Each structure stands twice: as structure tokens, then as C-alpha cells.
């Protein structure tokens, strides 16, 4: 039976360098129920009347789960300035921020941790509850009324949605590596289900922390639910499972996905969007597009490199966070964030050379450059043409003959015995396994001069499928494309991925039946084709028919030294660098739809090219 809700609020003003309020109750105004939060407040009297600006996070990972328990390996590498008794994964550390004059409010999302209610992550309902937490924080007697949002990943992606609702008191947001488009950035890359990460994330980090889940304390996963455990039947009835929902819904006009949509132009508070070049399968696109589409007059886009967990806590990056937040929450603008036009809005880190991967010290050789706009106005969008000889060149082919390059497509079956995906324990790099017969690569000649590529990439391909297995007539082509950097020494240059894994420059995807582009949409750009991904957009894929398609490839940056090459890879499935973000659902990618031979067609009627954003010197 449901738990009886009690007042669990406790205040400790003696044990820590800050005042610690645990399980304060936030009544929900937009729906029934409540959310519980921890509050960390400075003990000193800094600020008018002892009031302080507030940093708020709202999410599922447990306000009471210690960072050192959540990811011991990551915590061991964390900047010591951001280690305190209440450090938590992907959130601002209370010890550091209270020392710097901020109160910190950390909320357990509804249905998780100590917050009762229905668990429905990333839903409109959870955003509405976040809205109530922001307004509650602004109204507290110890608050100046100014609230900022700061956090990584989930604690960043949720910022876009709540900022669009414009809660009272919200004064600035810093979405640090946070998706802004649930469908395109996270769940369905080019319409293809990104199932493996959703499963990993859901099982490890969500249902393990559901309100009423037993055995948390014994697993060192925060305290047990104070009001008591719930039965497995009650737990299941109290949640929506993202694995099930994403498998059962394919299109943005279906209620599940449509309910999560919002207008980024409704975001009007100052924004500092921080994008990681290595986040090539989650978040990177969302930070760039969130910045581009936000309606804020004062908005900034900063690019970083490194792993997903640690750069947020680097001393130099914290100084940027603090400078930005001080400007809008404390009226202490030391560099000009609050003055329109004073600071260049875009700050790019330039990936030049082969410094290895998962080596923060080595990556410090990367330099920075500011720009006045995104995409960079002087970009020279340059097509590099694919050739049947497997070349990639800025010179358009002149051959009059018709030919094709082919590669295998297989699809998936339940329990088909293949080793799909990689296994990770804790915070260790993953191993990628892939089949070379399921891909084809096109390579440039060595670049003669130093060449910078920064921005959005598109690939135009002419593709078809033919049957190869008796009884199977394929009716879909899933396209997976990758851009790789080969050094003058002939070695692939890898970059630091989300979990410290070696990743290529960038990737892109497209389900060919969802090839329709809406050129009339306000967000359609020649360098970023807009797809609605509606159920009404589905087009047939018939064996033998050739389909011209435009594939969105996620943005990237590289400075190519003379002698370097680029490799453009086309495949029928995940290849090296996909980490745990694989697309292997036998329901979404069944053998009976995909198995066959995929082709790229060449000839006078078929031009295939990758459009690269080449940046000339200023």
C-alpha cells in the first residue's frame, strides 16, 4: 500500500562548514504531491540580510547518493576543491559554492530518492515540478530571489525545458553538456533508436534509485526510503519505463515524444551553453542547437574537450562558471557578461595535433579562439566528393560510367548469439566490436596545407538496397556515417569520448524511410537539414530503387596538419567510437527489414559528397 507521507525536514547547523537542511518539502503547485530537496547554505552573513543567491539542480540520481559511491573511479580523479561530505554526481559541490556565497538546493526528482510520486523522467510533468522548485527557492527567506541553474548531463538538459517555462526568480542557466532535443539528441539518432545507452542508464541510475526501492543503504546507494519500501508491483505501477516507451514510439508526432517538446525561443534568461567536442553521441548537438535557438539576448557558447565527468570541476572552467553566475546572480560582472556585445559569444577550443585521449594534461596544449557568431560567418562550405575508387576529393568526378560500392547489412534478431555492445565495470573504457564487411570508407589525399574544419557537416548520398537472403525482401536502409582523422604518420587520431574512450571526429545517422526534409521549417538550414520525423513523413524503401538522401552529421572541430587525411565511413551499423551508445534493438532494427546488400551509386546522375565547414584564417 502507498506510504504515509511525513515531514522529514531536518536542519544541521553544526556538523559542516555550511548549514545543511535535509529533506525540506516543496509543495507542487502545477500538480499534486511534493518534492523533497536538500539545502546547503553559507553560515556567514555575506549578502544583504544573510540572503544568498541560489543554485538549483533537479534530477534522478539521488541528492543523498555520495559521489564517491556513485562513481568511485571518477571521484578519485576529481578536483579536491570540489570534494565535500555532500558531493554528488554531475552537480555543483555544496562545499565549494557555499564558500563562495551561494546557497545550493538539490532536489530529488518526483518518484526518486526521497521524493514520492510517479517516476516519469524527462517528461513535461517533471519539468513542471522543476519549475515549482525554482520558484520555491526564489521565495525562501534565506534567498535573494535570484536563482541559477548549473549542472552536467541530465542536470543540464532539464535546464532548457524549465527555462522555457520562465519561472519567477530564474536569472541564468549553465547547461553543461546537456541535450536540448529529447528525440534527435538522445533517443533516436536520425530516427534510429539509441537503445543501449537508455537501457544502461535506466537500470544503473534510475530504477535503482526509485522512491520505495529497497536495499539502497546496503548497496551504498544513498539512504533507504525513510517512509518505507514499496512492493515490486507498486514500484512498477509508479513509473514509466523509458526502454518500453522509446521502443513503442518512433515519431515526434506521437504523444510520447510530442509531450516533451517546447519552444527554445521561450528561453530568455542569460545562457552559457557548454558543449564538448567529444560528446559525439549525446549532448553535443543539443548544446549547439540550444544556444542557436534560445531567445536570450545574452547567450554564450563555449566548447571544451575531455571526459564527460571531470572538466566541469576543472579550476579554469569553474572560474568561467563563477564569473558568469556572479554577473547575473550577484550583480558582480567582472568581465562584461551582462553587457550586450562586450564579450564574443562563441569560444572555440581548437583540436590540433595528436595528444592522445583521456589525458587532460595533454589536452591543455589545445588553444582557444573567440568568434562573434555560430556558425562561423566566414565558413567555406566545401563539398568533398566520394568516388567509386574509394577516394574523397574536392574535385567533382567526371566519369560517365555508372557503378556502385556495396556493403553488407544484417539487422538484429532476439538472442542471435552475437556479441553486441561492450561491457563496462565502473568508469573504465569500453571495447568496440564491429564488422568490416558492413562498412565502406572513402579517403582524401594528404592535405597540403594546414586546414581547419569547424562547424556542421552534411553528407549527400545516393543509396539503395538489394536482397541477398532467401525469403527476406529488405524495406529499410539505416545509414551510419563517421568522419575520421588520419595523421601524417598514417595513424588514426582519436579524441576523448564521454567515458574516456577513443572516439573519431564525429558521427551521423539516418533511417532512409525518414529521409524527407522540411525545407520550409524555420530551423531548416543548408548546413543542417531539418526533419520533422512525423509518422506522415515515412517514405517507402523498395529494393533496387535509388534514393538521394542528406545525412546530418553532428558538428565537429579539427585542425589538420599538412600530410593528414580524412576518412569518411559509411556503414550499416555502429562502428568504432560508439561507446555504450549503440543502436542494436532487434525490434527497431530487425533482420527482416534490414538484411541485404546496401549500395552507394555513382555516375552522371549520382553525386555523392560530404560538405565540410572549412574555416579560413581571420
Amino acid at each position: 500500500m502507498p506510504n504515509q507521507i511525513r515531514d522529514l525536514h531536518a536542519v544541521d547547523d553544526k556538523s559542516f562548514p555550511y548549514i545543511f537542511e535535509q529533506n525540506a518539502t516543496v509543495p507542487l503547485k502545477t500538480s499534486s504531491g511534493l518534492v523533497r530537496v536538500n539545502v546547503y547554505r553559507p553560515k556567514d552573513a555575506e549578502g544583504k540580510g544573510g540572503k544568498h543567491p541560489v543554485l538549483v539542480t533537479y534530477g534522478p540520481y539521488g541528492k543523498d547518493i555520495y559521489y564517491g559511491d556513485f562513481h568511485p573511479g571518477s571521484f578519485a580523479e576529481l578536483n579536491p576543491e570540489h570534494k565535500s561530505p555532500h558531493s554528488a554526481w554531475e552537480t555543483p559541490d555544496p562545499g565549494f559554492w557555499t564558500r563562495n556565497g551561494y546557497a545550493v538546493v538539490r532536489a530529488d526528482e518526483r518518484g526518486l530518492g526521497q521524493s514520492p510520486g510517479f517516476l516519469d523522467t524527462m517528461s513535461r510533468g517533471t519539468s513542471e515540478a522543476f519549475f515549482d522548485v525554482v520558484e520555491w527557492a526564489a521565495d525562501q527567506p534565506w534567498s535573494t530571489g535570484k536563482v541559477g541553474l548549473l549542472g552536467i548531463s541530465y542536470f543540464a538538459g532539464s535546464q532548457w525545458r524549465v527555462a522555457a517555462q520562465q519561472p519567477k526568480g530564474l536569472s541564468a542557466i549553465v547547461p553543461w553538456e546537456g541535450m536540448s532535443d529529447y528525440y534527435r539528441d538522445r533517443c533516436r539518432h536520425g530516427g534510429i533508436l539509441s537503445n543501449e545507452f537508455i537501457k544502461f542508464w535506466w537500470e544503473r541510475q534510475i530504477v535503482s534509485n526509485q522512491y520505495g526501492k529497497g536495499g539502497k543503504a546496503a548497496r551504498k546507494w544513498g539512504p533507504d526510503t525513510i517512509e518505507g519500501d514499496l512492493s515490486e508491483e507498486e514500484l512498477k505501477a509508479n513509473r514509466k519505463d523509458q526502454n518500453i516507451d522509446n521502443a513503442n514510439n518512433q515519431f515526434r508526432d506521437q504523444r510520447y515524444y510530442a509531450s516533451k517538446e517546447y519552444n527554445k525561443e521561450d528561453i530568455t534568461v542569460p545562457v552559457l551553453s557548454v558543449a564538448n567536442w567529444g560528446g559525439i553521441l549525446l549532448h553535443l548537438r543539443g548544446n549547439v542547437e540550444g544556444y542557436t535557438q534560445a531567445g536570450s539576448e545574452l547567450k554564450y557558447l563555449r566548447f571544451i574537450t575531455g571526459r564527460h565527468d571531470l572538466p566541469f570541476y576543472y579550476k579554469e572552467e569553474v572560474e568561467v562558471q563563477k564569473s558568469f553566475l556572479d554577473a547575473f546572480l550577484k550583480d558582480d560582472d567582472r568581465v562584461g557578461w551582462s553587457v550586450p556585445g562586450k564579450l564574443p559569444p562563441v569560444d572555440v577550443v581548437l583540436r590540433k595535433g595528436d595528444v592522445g585521449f583521456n589525458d587532460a594534461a595533454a589536452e591543455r596544449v589545445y588553444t582557444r579562439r573567440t568568434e562573434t557568431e555560430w556558425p562561423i560567418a566566414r565558413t567555406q562550405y566545401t563539398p568533398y566528393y566520394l568516388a567509386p575508387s574509394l577516394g574523397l576529393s574536392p574535385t567533382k568526378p567526371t566519369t560517365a560510367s555508372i557503378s556502385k560500392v556495396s556493403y553488407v547489412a544484417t539487422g538484429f534478431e532476439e538472442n542471435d548469439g552475437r556479441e553486441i555492445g561492450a561491457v563496462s565495470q565502473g568508469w573504465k573504457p569500453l571495447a568496440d566490436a564491429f564488422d568490416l564487411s558492413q562498412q565502406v570508407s572513402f579517403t582524401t589525399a594528404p592535405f597540403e596545407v594546414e586546414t581547419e574544419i569547424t562547424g556542421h557537416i552534411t553528407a549527400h548520398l545516393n543509396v539503395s538496397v538489394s536482397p541477398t537472403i532467401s525469403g527476406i525482401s529488405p524495406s529499410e536502409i539505416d545509414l551510419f556515417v563517421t568522419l575520421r582523422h588520419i595523421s601524417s604518420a598514417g595513424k588514426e587520431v582519436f579524441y576523448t569520448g564521454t567515458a574516456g574512450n577513443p572516439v573519431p571526429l564525429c558521427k551521423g545517422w539516418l533511417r532512409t524511410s525518414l529521409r524527407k526534409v522540411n525545407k520550409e521549417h524555420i530551423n531548416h538550414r543548408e548546413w543542417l537539414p531539418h526533419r520533422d520525423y512525423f509518422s506522415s513523413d515515412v517514405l517507402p524503401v523498395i529494393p533496387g530503387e535509388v534514393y538521394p538522401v542528406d545525412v546530418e552529421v553532428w558538428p565537429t572541430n579539427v585542425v589538420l596538419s599538412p600530410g593528414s587525411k580524412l576518412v569518411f565511413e559509411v556503414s550499416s551499423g555502429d562502428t568504432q567510437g560508439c561507446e555504450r551508445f549503440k543502436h542494436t534493438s532487434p525490434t527497431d532494427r530487425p533482420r527482416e527489414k534490414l538484411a541485404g546488400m546496401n549500395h552507394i551509386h555513382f555516375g552522371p546522375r549520382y553525386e555523392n559528397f560530404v560538405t565540410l565547414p572549412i574555416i579560413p584564417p581571420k
Side-chain angles (χ1 to χ4, degrees):
M1 60 185 300
N3 286 334
Q4 182 177 353
I5 303 303
R6 297 185 279 138
D7 182 5
L8 306 180
H9 187 201
V11 180
D12 183 347
D13 60 2
K14 296 183 173 58
S15 302
F16 309 102
Y18 41 81
I19 298 168
F20 173 43
E21 298 188 42
Q22 191 168 26
N23 291 319
T25 295
V26 179
L28 299 181
K29 297 177 291 185
T30 50
S31 62
S32 61
L34 59 89
V35 162
R36 291 193 172 109
V37 304
N38 289 349
V39 181
Y40 312 87
R41 297 191 279 121
K43 286 184 176 180
D44 64 273
E46 181 190 338
K48 185 182 294 185
K51 296 177 182 288
H52 299 84
V54 189
L55 301 180
V56 175
T57 59
Y58 177 95
Y61 303 153
K63 62 180 173 52
D64 301 303
I65 301 178
Y66 184 53
Y67 193 149
D69 294 330
F70 196 94
H71 262 306
S74 173
F75 186 71
E77 298 180 68
L78 192 67
N79 178 357
E81 291 185 342
H82 295 268
K83 292 184 176 182
S84 75
H86 295 106
S87 299
W89 177 249
E90 297 185 335
T91 64
D93 177 61
F96 177 87
W97 287 97
T98 54
R99 287 196 303 272
N100 285 277
Y102 285 88
V104 176
V105 170
R106 184 186 293 157
D108 272 335
E109 184 169 319
R110 189 176 58 181
L112 290 141
Q114 300 295 340
S115 292
F118 190 71
L119 191 170
D120 190 8
T121 48
M122 301 180 185
S123 66
R124 188 181 303 277
T126 55
S127 294
E128 290 170 348
F130 192 3
F131 176 99
D132 291 341
V133 173
V134 171
E135 293 206 332
W136 177 89
D139 285 341
Q140 296 310 295
W142 37 260
S143 169
T144 62
K146 290 189 174 184
V147 174
L149 307 182
L150 173 66
I152 315 172
S153 193
Y154 195 105
F155 299 100
S158 58
Q159 293 180 37
W160 301 107
R161 296 191 291 275
V162 76
Q165 298 179 48
Q166 303 179 0
K168 181 184 68 176
L170 184 60
S171 301
I173 65 172
V174 186
W176 195 283
E177 294 193 54
M179 62 165 187
S180 60
D181 187 319
Y182 181 72
Y183 184 99
R184 297 179 179 90
D185 300 345
R186 182 181 193 273
C187 297
R188 288 191 169 269
H189 296 147
I192 305 168
L193 179 61
S194 179
N195 60 296
E196 288 205 13
F197 176 74
I198 295 172
K199 183 176 187 294
F200 162 82
W201 170 84
W202 179 260
E203 293 178 354
R204 184 187 189 275
Q205 299 178 191
I206 304 301
V207 290
S208 61
N209 186 43
Q210 185 174 359
Y211 174 88
K213 178 77 171 178
K216 294 181 189 177
R219 291 182 285 113
K220 297 184 71 175
W221 211 246
D224 290 328
T225 305
I226 298 173
E227 289 157 332
D229 295 346
L230 299 175
S231 69
E232 285 301 319
E233 292 75 15
E234 288 174 301
L235 290 170
K236 188 174 182 179
N238 280 350
R239 66 180 181 240
K240 284 183 70 67
D241 188 324
Q242 274 206 18
N243 294 285
I244 296 171
D245 290 337
N246 279 290
N248 289 343
N249 294 274
Q250 301 179 57
F251 310 111
R252 283 183 58 247
D253 57 339
Q254 291 176 294
R255 183 178 178 183
Y256 174 70
Y257 288 118
S259 69
K260 302 177 190 300
E261 295 289 331
Y262 63 101
N263 188 345
K264 297 181 186 69
E265 292 179 352
D266 291 336
I267 300 170
T268 57
V269 296
V271 176
L272 172 58
S273 178
V274 181
N276 191 326
W277 287 129
I280 63 171
L281 296 110
L282 181 65
H283 298 315
L284 169 60
R285 181 189 188 279
N287 277 106
V288 174
E289 281 295 276
Y291 164 81
T292 302
Q293 297 178 30
S296 309
E297 179 185 14
L298 297 168
K299 58 180 181 177
Y300 302 90
L301 176 61
R302 179 178 178 85
F303 290 95
I304 62 169
T305 61
R307 275 189 356 216
H308 183 57
D309 53 334
L310 297 180
F312 179 78
Y313 301 99
Y314 291 170
K315 186 176 181 63
E316 63 273 21
E317 298 300 336
V318 173
E319 284 303 312
V320 173
Q321 298 165 20
K322 187 172 178 298
S323 172
F324 179 80
L325 292 166
D326 284 353
F328 298 107
L329 273 67
K330 290 186 175 182
D331 297 321
D332 178 15
D333 188 353
R334 299 181 291 279
V335 297
W337 297 103
S338 61
V339 181
K342 178 71 179 294
L343 294 179
V346 179
D347 193 329
V348 182
V349 62
L350 301 169
R351 299 192 295 182
K352 179 178 178 179
D354 185 357
V355 304
F357 61 92
N358 200 20
D359 188 337
E363 290 181 16
R364 292 185 185 278
V365 303
Y366 293 153
T367 60
R368 287 192 164 274
R369 186 184 68 228
T370 58
E371 298 288 348
T372 56
E373 70 286 308
W374 182 271
I376 298 169
R378 64 185 183 281
T379 302
Q380 297 173 350
Y381 292 101
T382 306
Y384 271 64
Y385 294 89
L386 284 63
S389 60
L390 304 185
L392 186 64
S393 168
T395 303
K396 187 181 297 189
T398 57
T399 177
S401 61
I402 294 174
S403 62
K404 59 188 175 184
V405 173
S406 305
Y407 58 97
V408 174
T410 59
F412 295 92
E413 292 180 299
E414 294 284 358
N415 305 314
D416 66 4
R418 281 184 290 171
E419 178 65 27
I420 300 169
V423 178
S424 172
Q425 299 295 325
W427 198 250
K428 297 178 182 177
L430 308 177
D432 288 307
F434 53 95
D435 186 343
L436 291 174
S437 71
Q438 296 178 38
Q439 65 186 70
V440 60
S441 297
F442 301 84
T443 306
T444 66
F447 279 75
E448 296 180 357
V449 297
E450 183 174 281
T451 304
E452 179 187 337
I453 295 169
T454 302
H456 298 267
I457 297 171
T458 57
H460 181 80
L461 303 172
N462 295 275
V463 298
S464 73
V465 62
S466 59
T468 58
I469 301 173
S470 177
I472 293 180
S473 180
S475 57
E476 187 61 271
I477 306 169
D478 281 353
L479 293 166
F480 293 70
V481 304
T482 302
L483 190 65
R484 301 185 183 276
H485 173 198
I486 309 299
S487 72
S488 58
K491 172 188 172 187
E492 179 166 0
V493 180
F494 290 114
Y495 301 90
T496 305
T498 296
N501 298 68
V503 297
L505 285 170
C506 52
K507 288 180 176 285
W509 308 263
L510 180 64
R511 174 153 287 167
T512 300
S513 63
L514 289 170
R515 60 192 177 272
K516 182 179 178 181
V517 173
N518 182 357
K519 293 186 177 182
E520 303 305 313
H521 197 282
I522 192 171
N523 289 329
H524 175 75
R525 291 144 283 180
E526 287 304 311
W527 38 266
L528 206 169
H530 178 85
R531 289 186 170 85
D532 293 317
Y533 295 107
F534 292 162
S535 56
S536 57
D537 292 336
V538 176
L539 296 172
V541 174
I542 300 170
E545 187 90 10
V546 180
Y547 300 104
V549 297
D550 293 298
V551 183
E552 175 191 345
V553 184
W554 282 19
T556 194
N557 161 267
V558 64
V559 179
L560 300 169
S561 300
S564 297
K565 299 178 182 179
L566 289 176
V567 173
F568 180 68
E569 173 187 281
V570 183
S571 69
S572 60
D574 296 300
T575 61
Q576 188 280 329
C578 46
E579 301 183 317
R580 56 172 59 96
F581 300 91
K582 293 184 173 71
H583 310 73
T584 59
S585 166
T587 303
D588 188 66
R589 306 194 62 229
R591 182 171 180 265
E592 58 268 23
K593 287 185 68 174
L594 292 165
M597 189 68 73
N598 290 354
H599 313 281
I600 304 171
H601 292 256
F602 296 86
R605 299 169 57 194
Y606 306 119
E607 287 186 349
N608 301 279
F609 53 88
V610 183
T611 302
L612 300 178
I614 294 177
I615 310 298
K618 281 188 174 181

